[in-house]
Amino acid sequence: MSGVQSRVSPSPWVTSRATLVASWLRTRAVLREWTLPPTLKFSGLGRFGEVLGAQCLAPRETLIVMSHLKQQKVKMLEVQFVGDDDVLNHILDKEEGAKFRKDRAQVLVNVKKLMKKQENDQDEDDQDDLKDENYVDILGADSQEYLKNGCVASGGNKVYSFQTRKKPEKMAELAYEIAKTSGKSVPLICKNTEKMASTPQSSKKQSTSEKDQLKSDEKNEFLSTPYRLRKRLTAVSTFPSDTESEYSDSNSEDDKGIKQEEEKISEVLMDQKRLTKHSSLSSSSCKKVSAKKMKKDTTTDLVEEYFEAHSSSKVLTSDRTLQKLKRTKLDQQTLHNLLSKFSPPFSAELKQLNEQYERLFHKWMLQLHLGFNIVLYGLGSKKELLEKFRASMLQDSVHVVINGFFPGITVKSILNSITEEILEHMGTFRSVLDQLDWIINRFKDDSSLELFLLIHNLDSQMLRGDKSQQILGQLSSLPKIYLIASIDHINAPLMWDHSKQSLYNWLWYETTTYRPYTEETSYENSLLVQQCGTLALSSLIHVFRSLTPNARGIFRLLIKYQLENEENPSYIGLSFQDFYQQCREAFLVNSDLTLRAQLTEFRDHKLLRTKKGTDGVEYLLIPIDTGTLSDFLEKEDKEA
Amino acid sequence: MQKMAATLGFLSVDCLVSFHIKKNYRKFQGLISFLIFSADYFNEGESLSEDSKLRFDTCQLLWQQMKSEAEELQEELNKNLFDKLIEFLEKSHLEFRKKSTNWNYQIKSREIPTAALVLGVNVTDHDLTFKGLTAMLRDTITPYVVSLQAKECPDVKHLLQKLASQVMGCHIDMESTEEEEEECVQLSQKKMHYSMAFLSTWYRNVTQKKGSESVNKKITSSSQWKKSPPIVIILKDIESFSTKVLQDFIIISSQYLHQLPIVLVLGIATSPIIIHRLLPHAVSFLCIELLQSLSCKEHLAKLLDKLLLTTRFPFKLNEKALQVLINIFLYHDFSVQNFIKGLQLAILEHFYSQPLSILCCDLPEVKRRIHSLSEDQCESIRRLPSFMRYVEKQTPEKQVASLTNERFLKGRMERKSLSLHIYHENFFIVLKCLHAFTSSLPKYPLGRQIRELYCACLEKNIWESQEYEPALQLLRMLAKDELMAILHKCVEVFRSSPGKQLGSTAEKLKEFLAQFQSLEESNEEENGSGSQQKGLQKTDLYHLQKSLLEMKELRSSNKKQTKFEVQRDKVVDMIDNLVRKYLFPPDTQTLYEVVYFTGAHTLREHLNAAPRIALHTALNNPYHYLKNQALKSEDDSIPNVAPDICIAYKLHLECSRLINVVDWSEAFATVVTAAEETDPNSTASEEIKEIIHARFIRAVSELELLGFIKPTKQKTDHVARLTWGGC
């Protein structure tokens, strides 16, 4: 991003950059507001591309100082040596667009004037930026994926927003790139030439994206645009300074694209030799060269980028939601079923990896006995591995397996299972620390006691707290308690300071298994997985059936009332008095005491929540989502 | 939740306890039987052979020896500090002991005597120091030693509770034979309302009783303490205490000072200023004495000297391994304990992975073991690179003999192990001498600490290093008193070393020293005779310049070496010769592999692991782990057949702070469908799509588990990235 800007006006801008970023952002926000709607309006048309191009160019021309306009034109003239009709077309297009958009841009200028008297050079920045935006837009438009996305959701401006400039589209692009690389290694040149030979590829892309387009009711009329767009791109891409490279690698990738397109245009002039040379350069060494040249710059760039991205609270990404995709949330069961149909690849290699780790079992045992504790890290679930370890080595010894990923686990429960089941102590303890002291003393007194602790996910939500880690550390520092644990989180080692580390006395073992974290993630409230759907329903039915008919009636009343108020966003529950009245009318209770007794039962089953409102009245609410409730009612009605 | 898991057939028990052994624990008597048990695991699961058992025993023996040596050293180093502390304790509360009722004293005695122990940042080592301190105080001064940690004392109430229970607990320990034990236990179990007042009454009772009975068997050293032993309160980590707790506690206890002889010991990791920063008001109640412990670097130097730079222990580390341990020490924790732990691991790994480490033991034992070597072991000796090098240098007949004749081989081995021992003896003496010479040079060309010099010598021929020549040059410019000090040091080194090698050199050194001493006397005479030069006569400028030039020339041409300089050159030449003769790097020695541990990477892997890098590699470059050609790729990209999580990760790298899940899932689907190599034109069945979506969901939740993303409410169907940039 920064690179692209400094390309046009390098020195003055770079120095005053930090101060400008903020105000610049503001102006951009305004610009975007005004430039967006038309894009959407025209998205259905076949000439979307042209409109888009025009839209991007328009504000620049009308907006700002004349000198820049001139400059712009000079640049466009420079391009003309390519000299074919398409370029002419392009320029015409642009002018057309400019005319078309004139009034819109005028408004924009007004707004800007109203907002603030901008300094001249800042305008320049804005302009430069627009240029860049344009430039990247067109670059993005190169891949048809862009068009698809653009149509579905929003204009290019939105997608190629400031912070994320290349990002969201980049993902799609990258997806294509990765998709392209077949399993067998493809030589570099091939890859590039493939990219250049755009026609067959584009048709392929088109076909893959066809379905989605149809789904989102978009017309396929812009099939012809890419070619023209590409032409336009070449025109823009001959910005005088595109050889200068002080960009983070993502930008140099952009560069790469331009260069390739450039080459495509002047193909005739170029001999094969240079082509190969260039393509190899652009693909791999380009990054390295620029990185080497601007090593310092890239690091500062990275820092600056970080602050740029985090300075504004607004992050611009596309607005598409899963709902539009018409893909319902899966629940755990279906997810599990679906995944069981898919067999993971590379089973031979995975097995080999696992065997490699299994060979370490004896060593682990030895090291555990010698006072070390073992922690396993690396990608992939280590549960299976530890399970195997347990099965093969710990059959004859006392051990406790702790599933740290289980959401209900606490240190207390771990200590309880040690004291109650291993040490067979039936008393209770005042605090966790007392319990720990007791355990430590027991182990000190009785030298024949030995205990293996296996903890899956020592870094889980419940165990990662400072106190829990301290207690587990103290436990593991006992010479006769052997701890073997696994960690997964990238920041897991931050849990331990020096003193905790010395308590744990870790030996680290890398065990990258690539196994799916099936169990570990099944408890997580993943955003894509529908929680509590069927399960809540089944438990609801279960509890409901055990109720007396009167209680059922009471509960049904409450459900119905809640469903009736489904639409009301300020609904906080049914007040107790109203509910009592309703129940009386339905002959379900005869006094508010009986009603309260019933409610207590519901509350015990977590079917009811009471809340005091602002007026001091008690409100009753069923903490289950409406979908489940209506399902439940349906089912019950059917059975009745 | 639990129910949910159960319905899915998952294991929903959070803690699973296994009772395969009922109450039938194996009982082991002490260390020896325990070792036998562990030895089962020593030989990669194969049946325990006599050989590996022996190897394991050797390993354990060696480790125990080294450990006790290290502990001894620690004790020795702490002794100085502890002595000072005891002295301080004896000075404090002198008045209290005299039971002075002096009004003046009672007013003055608002200040709590406090010892501030500055222990350095290596927090890990502190525990051991405090343990030693507590034990020593209990033995010599008072039974009432309380050590408190910040995490046990979130507020004053807990602090007092802990304090009281520990003080009374000590009391129980002291008189475990007496009846009142029961009483005390009950007291502490009741957890009644503890206060300083309660404590002081208790203290008065106890001391009065003791005064009358005077049954204090353990404490005999200082009789005056019998009547009223002080209560020493050790606050282990003063930095982590909250200001309020400390302040309140100090104010309260200062009120009780005339009833309870309290002494505070503060453990400080940073600097003494922290006391003032923590306790801006209460500091006036303290009468602080500052005590500094030995710096951890010196501790390490002493430790290296005791454990590695000696022939006492046969086990050695090679340059890389030593460097790893030292780097962990210097760049990570400054903890000597961790260094020792690393050493333990190195020993274990060495004996575990090197079958010939069976010969890594004392010299007489080695001889015995060589004779009982089996045929296989002989064979593996022949395959040692260092032994092969040795054989190649022999005459053909001997080559054949050492490759075929077992007895001949054993004879050779015996001789070689002896020569290795001698090599080490000489090596360390010369190393220490060289260190004595170079450690005081300006800019320390060969390193200031002996460990740097040692590493350099282990790596290659030290005299070939760039710094060696300049160092010698500098040595040739030493002043006489410096040189003599160094020579004294060297003589000391020779005297302290047990070996009888290099005896002649020691003699020579002494000779040099004597000569220097005699020079000193003669020098004085010389100075007396030739000191005065004729004064310059009054002339014009031109003549003055000329005469000065002349004089200069005269001096430079006349600059023949004085006796001292000649002698100095001789000394330097001698040390140079010694270095060239004895400071070979060890890997030139035959049987080097037997005693040197070379697995530096294992140490780094297990002690100083980088889990994040491992994750990153696994995600970015699956080929590194899964050696499948399909996964191979040249540059940063990954092939589309890579595991799901890698693809999802790679795609997410392209986003900034927020990620649109829909875009992400589509990109993911694109990649995965391409990987399946189904014809893109054919409409993929809905089921396949569903499966791909499910795979995507799994990959996303796995990334969430790993901490790369988290759900966010900022925008619908978005997740937030938690990392920045490409990692």
Side-chain angles (χ1 to χ4, degrees), chain A residues 164 167 170-171 174-176 178-179 181 183 207-208 211-212 302 305-306 309-310 312-313 315 317-322 325 327 330 332-333 335-336 338-339 341-342 346 349-350 353 362-363 365-367 369-370 372 377 379 393 395-396 398-403 406 409 417 421-422 424 430 448-449 470 488-491 493 498 502 505-510 512 514 516-517 519-524 526-529 531 535, chain B residues 2 4-5 7-8 10-21 23 25 27 34 37-38 41-42 44-45 56 60 124 151 332-333 341 344-345 348-349 352 605-606 609 611-612 614-615 618-619 622 625-628 630-631 638-641 650-651 654-658 660-664 666-667 670-671 674 680-681 683 687 690-691 693-695 697-698 701-702 704-708 714-719 723-724:
Chain A
T164 59
K167 303 288 176 170
K170 207 66 203 170
M171 189 149 81
L174 187 84
Y176 274 118
I178 298 174
T181 56
S207 57
T208 49
K211 225 168 296 140
D212 285 57
L302 202 69
E305 256 178 58
Y306 177 84
H310 287 76
S312 76
S313 59
V315 177
T317 50
S318 71
D319 284 332
R320 312 163 72 202
T321 55
L322 287 169
L325 212 63
R327 187 153 281 159
L330 304 167
Q332 283 288 357
Q333 186 67 54
L335 183 70
H336 194 67
L338 281 173
L339 285 175
K341 284 177 197 158
F342 167 71
F346 309 118
E349 283 82 4
L350 288 175
L353 264 185
H362 274 90
K363 205 169 173 184
M365 280 305 270
L366 177 72
Q367 284 166 340
H369 275 287
L370 292 180
F372 295 105
Y377 64 93
L379 183 67
M393 305 308 286
Q395 282 308 326
D396 296 338
V398 184
H399 55 265
V400 178
V401 178
I402 297 151
N403 293 329
F406 189 77
I409 194 138
S417 62
E421 308 197 24
I422 306 277
E424 294 182 331
R430 221 173 300 105
S448 67
L449 279 177
Q470 181 69 41
D488 287 303
H489 198 277
I490 41 171
N491 294 329
H498 279 312
S502 75
N505 202 15
W506 288 129
L507 283 190
W508 298 74
Y509 274 90
E510 185 184 335
T512 302
Y514 283 103
Y517 292 99
E519 265 179 67
E520 285 90 329
T521 53
S522 63
Y523 298 104
E524 208 177 314
S526 176
L527 66 167
L528 292 170
V529 182
Q531 270 331 308
L535 282 163
Chain B
Q2 216 153 0
M4 175 190 90
T7 53
L8 291 185
F10 290 154
L11 187 71
S12 66
V13 204
D14 43 3
C15 297
L16 189 133
V17 184
S18 147
F19 290 101
H20 289 288
I21 270 194
K23 288 297 112 187
Y25 302 122
K27 297 243 175 195
F34 166 68
F37 179 50
S38 327
Y41 301 108
F42 200 69
E44 310 244 348
F56 182 69
Q60 283 304 304
T124 353
K151 55 176 177 276
H332 288 267
D333 49 12
K341 172 192 165 187
Q344 184 192 2
L345 180 67
L348 187 62
E349 282 287 331
Y352 189 82
E605 213 173 284
H606 296 325
R612 210 167 158 161
L615 266 183
L619 288 168
Y625 295 96
L626 305 171
K627 302 285 181 204
N628 190 315
L631 288 173
I638 58 165
N640 53 14
V641 288
K650 202 76 186 171
L651 292 171
E654 296 301 325
C655 296
S656 72
R657 266 195 307 155
L658 291 183
N660 185 322
V661 178
V662 182
D663 287 346
W664 196 5
E666 276 187 2
T670 316
V671 176
N681 281 319
T683 47
E687 198 193 353
E690 283 277 299
I691 289 178
H693 188 61
R695 281 165 64 187
I697 289 174
R698 179 169 65 183
S701 35
E702 282 175 357
E704 190 183 339
L705 179 81
L706 293 177
F708 284 105
Q714 268 178 290
K715 213 170 168 188
T716 44
D717 287 334
H718 275 66
V719 288
T723 50
W724 173 255

Side-chain angles (χ1 to χ4, degrees), chain B residues 54-72:
Chain B
L54 183 64
R55 198 140 51 93
F56 182 69
D57 288 345
T58 323
C59 169
Q60 283 304 304
L61 188 68
L62 181 68
W63 165 239
Q64 292 300 337
Q65 281 172 349
M66 284 174 111
K67 197 171 134 196
S68 58
E69 181 80 27
E71 274 161 10
E72 246 168 59

Side-chain angles (χ1 to χ4, degrees), chain A residues 234-252:
Chain A
T234 56
V236 184
S237 68
T238 27
F239 272 90
S241 48
D242 66 359
T243 43
E244 219 174 285
S245 55
E246 52 167 274
Y247 325 112
S248 54
D249 42 3
S250 50
N251 279 326
S252 63

Side-chain angles (χ1 to χ4, degrees), chain A residues 137 153 367 428 440 547 612:
Chain A
D137 275 346
Q367 284 166 340
T428 51
I440 290 174
L547 294 175
K612 276 250 163 72

Side-chain angles (χ1 to χ4, degrees), chain A residues 52-287:
Chain A
L52 184 81
Q55 174 250 320
C56 297
L57 292 173
R60 179 195 309 149
E61 284 189 331
T62 48
L63 236 180
I64 317 154
V65 203
M66 280 306 286
S67 65
H68 288 292
L69 195 65
K70 270 183 209 159
Q71 195 189 345
Q72 173 69 30
K73 286 213 164 138
V74 169
K75 276 171 199 161
M76 299 320 273
L77 282 172
E78 249 179 49
V79 172
Q80 277 184 345
F81 76 91
V82 178
D84 56 10
D85 292 345
D86 286 297
V87 177
L88 271 177
N89 265 349
H90 156 71
I91 292 171
L92 281 177
D93 269 345
K94 188 206 82 182
E95 278 171 5
E96 225 176 71
K99 265 178 221 157
F100 176 78
R101 302 261 303 145
K102 208 137 214 170
D103 51 347
R104 179 66 65 192
Q106 220 71 54
V107 178
L108 197 114
V109 174
N110 289 343
V111 169
K112 263 185 74 180
K113 274 176 185 163
L114 271 175
M115 207 178 86
K116 207 181 261 178
K117 285 271 177 195
Q118 299 281 349
E119 277 176 57
N120 201 18
D121 62 344
Q122 197 181 323
D123 281 347
E124 193 178 315
D125 292 337
D126 287 342
Q127 190 194 6
D128 291 340
D129 201 63
L130 278 168
K131 245 183 256 171
D132 303 334
E133 200 171 8
N134 175 17
Y135 153 85
V136 183
D137 275 346
I138 291 169
L139 184 79
D142 176 40
S143 70
Q144 274 90 358
E145 173 70 350
Y146 162 72
L147 288 177
K148 185 183 89 191
N149 282 344
C151 296
V152 171
S154 57
N157 267 354
K158 193 87 176 181
V159 175
Y160 281 105
S161 54
F162 160 53
Q163 292 95 335
T164 59
R165 171 140 305 206
K166 69 219 168 181
K167 303 288 176 170
E169 272 328 300
K170 207 66 203 170
M171 189 149 81
E173 258 176 44
L174 187 84
Y176 274 118
E177 226 157 87
I178 298 174
K180 260 189 287 167
T181 56
S182 65
K184 296 96 212 161
S185 60
V186 183
L188 272 171
I189 304 158
C190 278
K191 213 155 74 182
N192 283 320
T193 45
E194 193 190 352
K195 211 173 183 181
M196 280 186 222
S198 56
T199 11
Q201 194 205 331
S202 69
S203 66
K204 188 179 152 200
K205 277 183 191 170
Q206 209 68 48
S207 57
T208 49
S209 55
E210 223 161 43
K211 225 168 296 140
D212 285 57
Q213 282 160 15
L214 286 172
K215 203 186 259 176
S216 49
D217 296 317
E218 291 293 337
K219 288 168 194 164
N220 263 342
E221 287 171 0
F222 46 81
L223 267 167
S224 60
T225 44
Y227 187 58
R228 311 184 76 176
L229 258 178
R230 184 166 296 116
K231 291 298 171 195
R232 188 169 303 118
L233 173 81
T234 56
V236 184
S237 68
T238 27
F239 272 90
S241 48
D242 66 359
T243 43
E244 219 174 285
S245 55
E246 52 167 274
Y247 325 112
S248 54
D249 42 3
S250 50
N251 279 326
S252 63
E253 263 171 37
D254 291 352
D255 249 2
K256 179 173 75 185
I258 296 169
K259 278 179 190 161
Q260 282 167 356
E261 293 308 325
E262 237 182 299
E263 273 177 310
K264 204 221 154 211
I265 292 304
S266 46
E267 228 167 2
V268 198
L269 301 172
M270 270 181 253
D271 55 347
Q272 192 59 38
K273 194 176 147 204
R274 199 190 141 191
L275 182 102
T276 43
K277 199 171 124 196
H278 190 94
S279 56
S280 67
L281 177 103
S282 58
S283 61
S284 64
S285 59
C286 182
K287 236 179 257 176

